[in-house]
Amino acid sequence: MRASGAEQVEEAVADCVAALAAVREWEGVRAGRLEWDCRATAVHIASDLIAYAGQLAGRAQDAYVPFEITPDDGTDNAGLLTVIGTTGTLLAAAIRTTPRAVRAFHPYPFRHANREGFAAMGVAEVLLHTHDITEGLGVRYEPPTELASFVLTRIFPHVRPGPTPWQTLLWATGRGDLPGREPVGQWRWSNNPVLRSERLDLEGVTPATVADLSTGGDGGYEWVGSAPADGTRVGAGLMVKQYEEGTFHPEWTMYVLVRREDDLALGAMGFHRAPDGDGRVEIGYDLVEGARGHGYATEALRALSAWALAQDGARTVTAVIDRANVPSQNVVTRAGFTRVTENAGEYAGEYVYEIRR
């Protein structure tokens, strides 16, 4: 899994231009359920594409780069499509030339996104607003399934998959209905979170990442020792199941531990699920063999458990460790956890550690 998203942006833009090139009259026609007319919506597509390219190219960290695009007076519909094609090319180029670890400003929900996030947002803007324009003009439009899936599995992790990716995306953005689900009024996509410790970036996974990891892929990372540990793949499989059930939480998920000095992934750490009604949340972790013995697990555990205990609804972080796994017991102890009990019955031989707010 090494797709940066550039090819998806190019494909979405080409699909948009082909769909709209067959339509002659845009002027004064309202774009579907939007307040804009079709021309203004087309300008908006180009504006978003160039804005995202600017964020990545400028490595913006605190706000949007202060510029905008305005078509020349007299630009006709064919000219607008040229602008969309050009700005799409610029975003794809920015994605291709941006290193994997770089994140630039985007206001929600975590005030940053990586190149794949900007690609997914760009594709979403193109697909959805092409739909708005064609809906206003009474023209049927349906993009390639893979593009809708690309968007959903990157920036809509909280949305349970539906009958088809395109139907699901339309429903998730208030543009359609799905059987058995209430209509969506307000909505917002979600880029993945990233936490920082002294030496590591803890990168929250997306459904696309865990799907790849669970089936033997690299998740889009270069790993110490060339591959993730078995426990990481097992944890990824659990996250895939949560996504399919609609219980995937972008923050209460698995985090890949990436060493900043060389951008190598060395393990994963994360929560089994969101905190329960008593404010308890269980954490687990796994490092590749070549990264053990350097304090990375302890460092990451301190950072992630401290973050968790600062969130509303979380009061206790627990870790369940096999009695024979002394190195892991040492990790949680150094991170501030205390052993509180030993499991019995089916889970006999496991110690339960916890740290409280």
Side-chain angles (χ1 to χ4, degrees), residues 123-137:
V123 172
E125 296 284 0
V126 172
L127 301 188
L128 294 171
H129 290 316
T130 302
H131 164 80
D132 295 332
I133 294 171
T134 55
E135 184 179 50
L137 296 169

Side-chain angles (χ1 to χ4, degrees), residues 159-222:
V159 173
R160 176 166 56 91
T164 70
W166 181 231
Q167 285 179 279
T168 305
L169 183 58
L170 291 178
W171 171 81
T173 57
R175 290 171 167 84
D177 299 317
L178 281 183
R181 302 195 198 184
E182 292 294 322
V184 172
Q186 296 182 332
W187 60 273
R188 181 168 287 182
W189 56 50
S190 177
N191 283 289
N192 63 317
V194 176
L195 307 176
R196 292 171 65 89
S197 63
E198 292 87 344
R199 297 171 292 174
L200 306 174
D201 285 341
L202 285 64
E203 300 187 4
V205 296
T206 65
T209 300
V210 292
D212 190 60
L213 286 172
S214 69
T215 55
D218 57 23
Y221 295 91
E222 290 189 32

Side-chain angles (χ1 to χ4, degrees), residues 3-173:
S4 64
E7 291 182 4
Q8 286 77 12
V9 169
E10 290 169 336
E11 183 179 1
V13 168
D15 192 63
C16 162
V17 171
L20 298 183
V23 181
R24 293 177 179 270
E25 299 298 332
W26 297 5
E27 301 300 330
V29 179
R30 181 172 171 176
R33 308 180 191 193
L34 303 181
E35 296 298 324
W36 302 324
D37 67 14
C38 292
R39 180 180 176 84
T41 305
V43 173
H44 178 79
I45 292 173
S47 296
D48 281 334
L49 293 171
I50 194 63
Y52 293 158
Q55 294 303 97
L56 285 175
R59 308 290 194 262
Q61 295 299 304
D62 301 312
Y64 275 111
V65 177
F67 76 100
E68 61 182 6
I69 187 170
T70 303
D72 290 341
D73 290 342
T75 300
D76 60 12
N77 294 346
L80 284 180
L81 293 181
T82 299
V83 175
I84 290 173
T86 301
T87 53
T89 298
L90 290 172
L91 175 56
I95 292 166
R96 285 195 172 94
T97 55
T98 298
R100 191 210 65 81
V102 168
R103 300 184 79 85
F105 174 82
H106 188 274
Y108 55 78
F110 307 115
R111 297 183 66 79
H112 52 72
N114 61 9
R115 63 187 184 183
E116 197 169 344
F118 278 106
M121 290 187 288
V123 172
E125 296 284 0
V126 172
L127 301 188
L128 294 171
H129 290 316
T130 302
H131 164 80
D132 295 332
I133 294 171
T134 55
E135 184 179 50
L137 296 169
V139 177
R140 175 175 168 75
Y141 169 73
E142 183 169 340
T145 296
E146 294 77 11
L147 291 179
S149 181
F150 177 82
V151 172
L152 288 169
T153 57
R154 269 75 177 180
I155 58 175
F156 286 90
H158 51 289
V159 173
R160 176 166 56 91
T164 70
W166 181 231
Q167 285 179 279
T168 305
L169 183 58
L170 291 178
W171 171 81
T173 57

